[in-house]
Every structure is written in structure tokens, then in C-alpha cells.
Amino acid sequence: MKDLQAKRHSVEDQNRIGQDFSVVICTYTEKRWEQMHAAINSARAQSMPAKEVIVVVDHNPSLYARLSVALSGVRVVESSGAPGLSGAKNTGVALARGEIVAFLDDDAIAEPDWLRSFSDSFVDPHVIGVGGLVLPRWETQRPRWFPAEYDWVVGCNDSRMPPFRAQVRNLMGGNMSLRREAFDLAGEFRNGIGRTVGKRPLGCEDTEFCIRLSHQAPTTLLLFESRAVIRHLVPAARCRFSYFTSRCFGEGLSKAVVVSIVGSRDGLSAERDYTTRILPRGIVRNIIDLLHGDLWGLARTGAIVTGLAVTVAGYIAGSLRKSEFKTPGPNRVTGRAGRVSQRTDRRKPSRARALVSSLTGTRMASADHSTLSQPEPDDRSR
């Protein structure tokens, strides 16, 4: 059986010529030492090996020195960008030598076929980015009051995501892959809305980047691939209701900043579907659970309503305080990624949607893969 699987993978890999991956893992604190090693090991143990694994240390000299000694077979570098997740990602992109750059959270573990599953979608030349499924890995257990519609609060995909390949507006930053030319077209991740230490963080740098990329290359595709799975650690500290509400408020702030940059049509397109279809469906399901004797159904219903109200409050607060959250425009990526892409066919009209739908079985999903934003004061909760 193993021989047959190996032979099948060998044949499939012949169709992936030119698809070499650079895996970028951004980290910033020694507190995640064990989780970080687990993430790196999972990236190195892929059934389709990466060209390289790059660990970017975000302005923490002691952590950089410690990792440089402890790790072999990976590139450990210091972030040369602005402090925060956007600057660290931009550093990784600039140094990456692979044609596709894959991002993995430093507290997540990738399944063995993670890169292979990404690669399947990149066979189609019109696909410029692919995101995967992020499942929670609870340190204790899932709180019974915690609604599945809010798994994004702990950095995971919520109940919106389909069990198949689908087109999406944006990818989730901790589990996504992009062709190098995406950065040639759209520039860097924007500083100012990624996570930083020491002030209220604003996430959604991946959301803004993907929307900007779609504007620059409107005929390209961003896909969600449900088989590209990572398991994201959810520590006990993130299971508190206070954490839930603070994350919701921060998400509202982040969306206000994104909307100020890209406009409400694109910035809130997935959120409209979420609030008018997904959340009401969750309320109905949990009320049914309550009627069947599950008293926690009432708590989950209350959490859905509270989460929406707090997120809206954050959005209003962010809209009223836009001047406090001014962000610099994105730069072009320097280094190897700084060259202008020669594959200009991506920007010409094409039959990309029909092609992907017919060849890969891709469906449409009005899903938002945003990385959410409001952690506790001393934790960027990437």
C-alpha cells in the first residue's frame, strides 16, 4: 500500500514542476518555544518537502540568538521590517527563494499533506493564492458556551467554511500560500494593521492584502482548500468570556480600518453574509438544542448576540477614530521578490472562473478568512 501511495505521489509531483514552496513562520516570544518547535517540525515533515523553512524573529534579539543555536536545517532571520506581524511577513517574503510562499503560525501544527494540498490548487495557472482549514487544538477543552460561529476568535475557521475547494475573498494569514508574483502585483503587507506588541493591535493585514491583490489582478483566483489542514493551539487563557469579547471588539476596530482603506463594498462583503445568514442560523440551531434539553444552548445563543453587539461597537469606535489608525501605504517587496512579474497574462481578461470550476470542482463561498485581531495586552495571539 505504501509503495502504491509513493508511486501515486511521484506521478502527481510531475504535474507540479516549478512549484517549490518557501514556508515562512513568524515568531516573537520565548513563551511559545515548544509550540514553535512543533510548528517547524511539522513544516519540515511534509509529504512534499518545502524548498526551505524560514523562521522570522520579530525584534527579539534574545530569541533570535537562542533559535540560531537550537535550530538546524532552517533559516533563522531577524525581521528587517517595522515591528509587528506585517513587517515579519514582509521580511520572510523578501528572503524566500520558492515560487510559492506559504505562511504557518508559530503555534500551529501542519498536517503531513499540507503543502501537497496547496499544490493541487496551484496546478491551475489562474490561482494566485490558496488558504487552508484551521482547526482548534484545545489545551483544555472547548467551552460549552462557545459557539462554532465564533471560532475565528481563537484564530480558527468558523462554521462558514465548506468541506470542499471554494473561491474566497481573502485567505487566513496563519494558513495561506501565495505565488511570489502576488507581491510583485500588490506590494507588501501593510504596516499598521498587523499585530504589534505594546499597543492595541489591529489585525486583518491579510484581508486588506488579498482585497488589494484582487483589485490589481481581478482575473486571478483566491481559493480555500479544505484538505490543507493545520491545528492551531488554543490555550486555556483564550477560553474566557472576557477574551471572547475583547477579540470581538478588536475585530470591529480592524474592519473599520480595512473599510477606510478599501471601501465598504469589498471590506464588508463577507461580513454581510455572516451577520444575515450564518449568525441567525446559529441562533436557531442553539435554540433547538435548548429545547432538546441542552441548557448550554441558551449560553451559546447569548454569546452569538453579545459577540455581534461588541463587534459592531468596535466597528463604530474604529470608524469614529480613523485618524488614530492611519496606516502607511504598502511598499513593493524588496529582495528577490522585487522583480516585476513577467506573467502578465494574469492581468488580462480570462475564463479563469469557468476553467477552475470545470477542472478542479471549485465552488463559490462567501467566506471571510480574516485573521482576527484583539488579543490580551501582552499577547499578539497570532
Side-chain angles (χ1 to χ4, degrees):
M1 179 62 71
K2 291 184 178 179
D3 291 340
L4 289 175
Q5 290 179 338
K7 183 176 181 180
R8 176 173 59 83
H9 284 166
S10 177
V11 172
E12 291 173 349
D13 289 344
Q14 294 301 314
N15 297 324
R16 299 184 174 94
I17 296 176
Q19 286 191 20
D20 50 358
F21 283 80
S22 292
V23 176
V24 174
I25 300 174
C26 300
T27 189
Y28 70 102
T29 177
E30 291 92 336
K31 294 179 181 179
R32 294 184 178 179
W33 185 260
E34 293 184 2
Q35 297 97 307
M36 190 191 321
H37 276 270
I40 294 168
N41 290 337
S42 72
R44 297 181 65 187
Q46 291 294 299
S47 62
M48 191 183 80
K51 183 183 185 73
E52 61 185 347
V53 176
I54 303 173
V55 178
V56 183
V57 180
D58 186 8
H59 297 274
N60 186 332
S62 62
L63 176 58
Y64 169 72
R66 187 179 177 189
L67 285 173
S68 297
V69 173
L71 296 179
S72 61
V74 302
R75 299 176 67 188
V76 181
V77 301
E78 292 186 281
S79 175
S80 60
L85 185 54
S86 291
K89 285 182 175 179
N90 291 335
T91 298
V93 170
L95 295 175
R97 295 174 295 176
E99 290 303 315
I100 300 171
V101 183
F103 297 91
L104 177 65
D105 272 352
D106 65 344
D107 56 352
I109 297 175
E111 294 285 302
D113 284 338
W114 176 58
L115 291 181
R116 188 181 297 278
S117 297
F118 278 154
S119 182
D120 288 342
S121 293
F122 281 114
V123 169
D124 186 279
H126 298 98
V127 174
I128 200 166
V130 185
L133 179 64
V134 184
L135 298 177
R137 183 164 55 95
W138 302 93
E139 185 177 54
T140 53
Q141 62 180 359
R142 184 188 189 95
R144 297 183 68 181
W145 59 265
F146 202 113
E149 290 75 17
Y150 282 82
D151 277 6
W152 54 260
V153 166
V154 291
C156 301
N157 291 122
D158 55 53
S159 58
R160 284 174 285 180
M161 303 319 300
F164 46 78
R165 188 179 298 166
Q167 185 180 352
V168 292
R169 179 191 66 180
N170 63 275
L171 312 177
M172 176 171 269
N175 184 13
M176 70 176 180
S177 55
L178 291 157
R179 292 189 193 271
R180 172 169 297 285
E181 66 189 88
F183 303 99
D184 298 332
L185 294 168
E188 299 180 329
F189 290 100
R190 184 184 293 265
N191 290 307
I193 56 175
R195 293 177 182 77
T196 59
V197 171
K199 61 180 181 178
R200 183 186 296 278
L202 294 173
C204 296
E205 75 286 339
D206 42 14
T207 302
E208 189 276 333
F209 177 86
C210 289
I211 293 174
R212 179 168 18 110
L213 174 61
S214 295
H215 287 171
Q216 293 296 320
T219 60
T220 60
L221 294 168
L222 295 172
L223 299 182
F224 167 75
E225 172 54 76
S226 61
R227 297 176 302 158
V229 178
I230 70 170
R231 299 185 183 274
H232 188 265
L233 178 66
V234 183
R238 300 186 191 178
C239 295
R240 299 194 300 261
F241 191 70
S242 59
Y243 185 84
F244 176 86
T245 55
S246 67
R247 289 278 282 175
C248 288
F249 189 81
E251 171 67 358
L253 284 175
S254 299
K255 291 301 182 187
V257 175
V258 171
V259 167
S260 72
I261 298 170
V262 304
S264 60
R265 179 178 179 180
D266 290 324
L268 296 178
S269 58
E271 289 71 19
R272 294 188 187 97
D273 178 74
Y274 177 67
T275 56
T276 60
R277 184 173 65 89
I278 302 300
L279 293 186
R281 184 184 299 171
I283 291 173
V284 170
R285 187 184 68 255
N286 284 294
I287 290 176
I288 292 175
D289 290 342
L290 176 63
L291 294 176
H292 283 84
D294 180 6
L295 298 181
W296 287 102
L298 180 61
R300 290 190 294 272
T301 299
I304 291 175
V305 175
T306 301
L308 176 60
V310 173
T311 304
V312 171
Y315 180 80
I316 293 173
S319 298
L320 295 175
R321 296 159 54 194
K322 288 179 182 178
S323 60
E324 296 182 28
F325 302 125
K326 287 183 178 179
T327 63
N331 298 319
R332 289 292 174 185
V333 175
T334 57
R336 185 179 183 276
R339 72 201 190 300
V340 176
S341 172
Q342 299 300 313
R343 300 175 69 177
T344 54
D345 59 302
R346 293 185 190 283
R347 307 187 66 177
K348 297 177 181 179
S350 73
R351 300 176 60 188
R353 293 173 186 264
L355 179 63
V356 173
S357 296
S358 61
L359 296 183
T360 67
T362 300
R363 311 185 198 182
M364 295 292 294
S366 57
D368 174 21
H369 278 206
S370 303
T371 304
L372 287 307
S373 59
Q374 176 65 22
E376 303 208 308
D378 61 346
D379 180 12
R380 282 177 284 185
S381 49
R382 290 177 177 164

